[in-house]
Amino acid sequence: MTPHLTAPAITPAHTGHTNWWQDAVIYQVYPRSFADANGDGMGDLDGVRHKLPYLRDLGVDAVWLSPFYASPQADAGYDVADYRAIDPMFGTLHDADALIRDAHELGLRIIVDLVPNHSSDQHEWFKRALREGPGSALRSRYHFRPGRGETGELPPNDWESIFGGPAWTRTEDGEWYLHLFAPEQPDFNWEHPAVADEFRSILRFWLDMGVDGFRVDVAHGLVKAPGLPDIGGSDQLKLLGNDVMPFFDQDGVHEIYRSWRLILDEYPGERIAVAEAWTPTVERTAHYVRPDELHQAFNFQYLGAPWDAEALREVIDVSLAAMRPVGAPATWVLSNHDVTRHATRFANPPGLGTQLRTPGDRELGLRRARAATLLMLALPGSAYLYQGEELGLPDVTDLPDEVRQDPSFFRAEGQDGFRDGCRVPLPWTVDGPSYGFGSGGSWLPQPASWSALSVEAQSGDPDSTLELYRAALAARREHPGLGSGDAVSWLDAPEGVLAFARDGFVCTVNLTAEPVRLPAPGKALLSSGSREVALDGGEFVLEADTTVWWAV
Ligand code: GLC
């Protein structure tokens, strides 16, 4: 039964900006791995609720929760069986209500994940579609097709699943259905009005619950090219890839988002939507955030950039230039639940992609990760943090195969499939079962070295990564100029160094392996390296792989 739930709207944002989301720092919670209140080894909504004060004190503006809906968990909840129910593993609708209310009381906003490209194969519609057979009304809400070949033994086209293998699975009655991801994730047919109606209703359900926004999963995938044409050629897509494909970034998706925007705007308090849209260019991404569409889109070009001054400057310039004409804030992200954590990416040589299996040079990775975070948080727009990056967590690159759950690992021939490494549950305490994650162990094993990386171990240690994040987020609040605006002014700097000015503020980043002597632009606010920035006759030494913020 659906309880009657209407959470109170949140009080105005701290910055005094009309649009809270334009410079918001949004923290991604991956509910399975954040905190486990009931001791079953799997995180849950109550766990998140108990840790909200931690997130408030960290200094973020909003929390985005990865899916917690009823799901067989074939893809860790991105296979939704009921969009209006909470999976018992995560709790109940009452828990969700309590979480939203508590968050609002603490001044935190809540963004939930919405998965409109596909459902679970255990969704009522799909189960009925299978039962009712070829030609039935329910089949037209998905993409069912007869096969090719003499007896229909070949898939209807040559598309491959992003998780590996064909994007089609044959049913017992001989028809095939499309799934861009796992076979347990059949793609909806968005040409069907019932699908569009259903999602408008789901949006309203969660808006009525009081959520402040949606993260739209695979936002670029909903509409497929007419006739589902073959791709031809052998280079098919990988997760987070950005090639031009007949199933991605079709112009028809924008009509859907225009209709969603009308709904979001009906509700008070600036409810937002952020697109997970992998497109060939940042300019194409900007289409999703035109004034009558969604509010933000993840900047995967930024996430994919190497630790290299020229490459970063280029992607920053291109991103700001692409967003300016549509008036949307640029966004910045370094880690999420689909990619190797940035502390490990930057510990490895560039060019290895976003799913790595090698730990690399941990110390180097952490130094660069801290510097990269300060760079990101100094850019105009909104920044996304992924749980655990504030602890400087590395990816767990040596998980035994038996414990892995990423569906792409099992279909992975030649593919990525190592997303479990960034999904290992968080360490909260120095000792205790699963380092304070919960009393009943953790669904993926945590390395023993994580005791020293726990929240408890780092809290109060001014050199820790956690305290660096706290200080950076506090400074962002004190200097609203840090996240606002839509431009940076680059300052002259030696090769391998980035320096830019913002309102009353300068950011200097040394991306080289050697210290550099530079004129001090003002008063040092915060450094990702040694805490003290020594001034010497108006100059200072910017350490290797280090960012320093300055008040000017
Ligand atoms: C998105 C999610 C990813 C999921 C996929 C299919 O890319 O971030 O975790 O596997 O969509 O829903």
Side-chain angles (χ1 to χ4, degrees):
M1 198 192 73
T2 308
H4 182 69
L5 306 166
T6 38
I10 198 166
T11 43
H14 64 281
T15 55
H17 291 184
T18 345
N19 298 327
W20 67 270
W21 44 275
Q22 281 183 315
D23 62 354
V25 177
I26 300 174
Y27 182 99
Q28 180 187 0
V29 163
Y30 194 65
R32 299 176 142 234
S33 305
F34 190 65
D36 171 18
N38 68 1
D40 65 355
M42 189 63 83
D44 43 45
L45 293 184
D46 241 6
V48 181
R49 184 157 74 92
H50 291 131
K51 299 292 188 194
L52 288 172
Y54 166 80
L55 296 175
R56 190 254 336 256
D57 295 346
L58 182 61
V60 300
D61 301 294
V63 178
W64 147 36
L65 295 150
S66 279
F68 44 66
Y69 310 107
S71 161
Q73 305 287 319
D75 183 21
Y78 283 96
D79 48 320
V80 180
D82 184 345
Y83 290 86
R84 297 179 185 81
I86 310 291
D87 198 278
M89 156 204 287
F90 294 123
T92 63
L93 272 179
H94 285 287
D95 297 337
D97 177 54
L99 170 59
I100 296 165
R101 280 172 193 278
D102 283 14
H104 286 176
E105 263 163 36
L106 292 172
L108 291 167
R109 289 184 161 84
I110 295 286
I111 292 173
V112 294
D113 223 306
L114 186 71
V115 190
N117 180 66
H118 44 264
S119 70
S120 158
D121 62 349
Q122 297 307 306
H123 189 284
E124 207 39 50
W125 286 5
F126 192 76
K127 288 200 292 191
R128 276 179 57 195
L130 280 188
R131 266 200 319 269
E132 290 174 14
S136 68
L138 265 292
R139 285 217 174 176
S140 58
R141 295 182 188 185
Y142 293 90
H143 295 281
F144 280 88
R145 294 282 185 284
R148 295 202 276 205
E150 248 165 57
T151 57
E153 75 283 7
L154 299 172
N157 70 18
D158 67 354
W159 297 0
E160 281 176 16
S161 148
I162 285 135
F163 290 162
W168 296 90
T169 289
R170 199 171 193 191
T171 65
E172 275 174 15
D173 54 54
E175 273 202 327
W176 297 74
Y177 67 89
L178 175 70
H179 52 86
L180 291 181
F181 294 88
E184 297 87 351
Q185 293 167 295
D187 280 50
F188 281 117
N189 172 16
W190 269 86
E191 307 295 331
H192 197 299
V195 173
D197 282 351
E198 173 66 354
F199 273 90
R200 283 194 288 261
S201 156
I202 293 166
L203 281 178
R204 288 185 189 284
F205 177 87
W206 288 101
L207 290 166
D208 289 340
M209 285 274 289
V211 303
D212 301 285
F214 300 91
R215 176 263 189 192
V216 184
D217 188 66
V218 195
H220 55 306
L222 277 46
V223 173
K224 276 72 182 173
L228 312 183
D230 278 339
I231 291 171
S234 54
D235 272 349
Q236 297 243 3
L237 195 70
K238 291 194 174 167
L239 192 71
L240 296 188
N242 46 18
D243 303 312
V244 178
M245 290 287 165
F247 42 77
F248 278 167
D249 196 30
Q250 301 292 307
D251 289 335
V253 294
H254 299 291
E255 195 188 317
I256 299 168
Y257 300 131
R258 281 192 282 270
S259 83
W260 289 11
R261 180 61 179 257
L262 293 174
I263 295 175
L264 292 167
D265 285 351
E266 277 175 30
Y267 284 79
E270 297 277 336
R271 316 287 175 105
I272 68 155
V274 49
E276 185 212 24
W278 328 329
T279 67
T281 61
V282 198
E283 288 78 14
R284 292 287 307 180
T285 306
H287 290 170
Y288 291 78
V289 291
R290 287 178 285 200
D292 59 347
E293 296 196 34
L294 306 179
H295 299 72
Q296 295 185 347
F298 292 111
N299 188 341
F300 292 123
Q301 277 83 358
Y302 187 72
L303 185 148
W307 185 241
D308 173 84
E310 255 179 66
L312 281 166
R313 180 172 169 159
E314 157 105 20
V315 70
I316 292 168
D317 280 341
V318 167
S319 306
L320 292 168
M323 295 302 145
R324 213 169 286 130
V326 291
T331 68
W332 315 101
V333 59
L334 290 165
S335 284
N336 65 33
H337 66 293
D338 289 329
V339 299
T340 299
R341 288 177 175 280
H342 64 284
T344 298
R345 286 206 315 279
F346 294 146
N348 279 283
L352 300 179
T354 50
Q355 289 194 41
L356 310 184
R357 270 169 291 169
T358 44
D361 177 342
R362 285 234 165 112
E363 209 186 300
L364 176 69
L366 181 59
R367 197 163 66 238
R368 288 178 172 174
R370 290 165 56 110
T373 296
L374 282 203
L375 163 60
M376 171 171 86
L377 291 175
L379 294 172
S382 191
Y384 282 82
L385 308 180
Y386 175 53
Q387 66 176 41
E389 69 170 79
E390 76 278 21
L391 305 176
L393 293 187
D395 241 52
V396 182
T397 47
D398 58 356
L399 284 172
D401 290 357
E402 318 80 79
V403 304
R404 289 187 185 275
Q405 295 200 11
D406 181 352
S408 54
F409 177 75
F410 301 99
R411 300 170 57 83
E413 216 181 323
Q415 279 272 340
D416 299 333
F418 298 94
R419 296 181 297 168
D420 291 309
C422 65
R423 299 175 176 179
V424 174
L426 294 194
W428 292 91
T429 55
V430 172
D431 305 304
S434 62
Y435 306 111
F437 167 66
S439 57
S442 91
W443 68 279
L444 285 172
Q446 302 152 300
S449 56
W450 282 23
S451 162
L453 295 177
S454 64
V455 172
E456 184 187 10
Q458 297 196 38
S459 289
D461 170 358
D463 292 319
S464 70
T465 302
L466 177 56
E467 294 300 347
L468 177 70
Y469 270 72
R470 286 176 174 159
L473 293 170
R476 225 178 119 106
R477 281 172 181 246
E478 270 163 41
H479 303 261
L482 256 170
S484 64
D486 61 5
V488 298
S489 317
W490 295 105
L491 306 174
D492 282 343
E495 205 181 327
V497 173
L498 294 178
F500 58 87
R502 319 265 345 268
D503 209 5
F505 176 87
V506 165
C507 178
T508 51
V509 193
N510 181 0
L511 294 104
T512 74
E514 301 299 329
V516 189
R517 230 182 141 75
L518 294 171
K523 181 174 167 291
L525 274 180
L526 192 61
S527 163
S528 69
S530 316
R531 255 180 315 130
E532 295 307 320
V533 180
L535 296 184
D536 170 16
E539 295 194 325
F540 78 107
V541 174
L542 185 56
E543 297 162 277
D545 297 311
T546 297
T547 298
V548 179
W549 286 0
W550 304 85
V552 296

